[in-house]
Amino acid sequence: MPDAAQTRYVPGHGDVADVKDVEDFRTYLLDLKRLTAQARKGGLKDDALAKVVTPKLKALHPDWTISDRAAAFEVRYMDQELAGTKKRPVPQPE
């Protein structure tokens, strides 16, 4: 089994990561999902949802350099994911 201290992950963008980085990102995604679900249960949607969730998410992860705009997009994507309406590109046969 590989040594976790030596394990590296090469993401599609961003810096090379280690196990701690992956754990931090997982926590970020779980916080994003939890906060978005809570706001949805409160009846919030669209811009109002992003406006409420974004500052809470950023407060939980103050060391992350994510803009309000980028965080708001992630909230909207999570909202779509939770609603089952998120679209993804579907490869078309040539």
Side-chain angles (χ1 to χ4, degrees):
M1 176 172 218
D3 179 8
Q6 300 298 319
T7 301
R8 298 290 178 259
Y9 300 90
V10 180
H13 58 86
D15 298 332
V16 173
D18 60 21
V19 171
K20 175 80 168 90
D21 295 321
V22 174
E23 290 169 351
D24 290 347
F25 185 57
R26 181 178 189 276
T27 299
Y28 174 86
L29 291 175
L30 291 172
D31 287 339
L32 172 62
K33 182 179 180 181
R34 178 180 52 79
L35 292 169
T36 303
Q38 287 172 346
R40 285 169 48 87
K41 286 180 185 175
L44 297 176
K45 59 184 179 177
D46 303 323
D47 289 340
L49 179 85
K51 188 175 182 179
V52 167
V53 173
T54 296
K56 291 178 181 179
L57 184 63
K58 289 181 70 174
L60 289 172
H61 302 275
D63 295 336
W64 285 45
T65 55
I66 183 168
S67 69
D68 287 348
R69 181 174 178 240
F73 275 113
E74 291 182 1
V75 171
R76 288 184 190 99
Y77 294 146
M78 181 56 71
D79 180 37
Q80 293 169 3
E81 184 77 29
L82 293 172
T85 60
K86 185 174 178 187
K87 296 181 181 176
R88 57 182 174 83
V90 177
Q92 298 297 315
E94 294 184 33

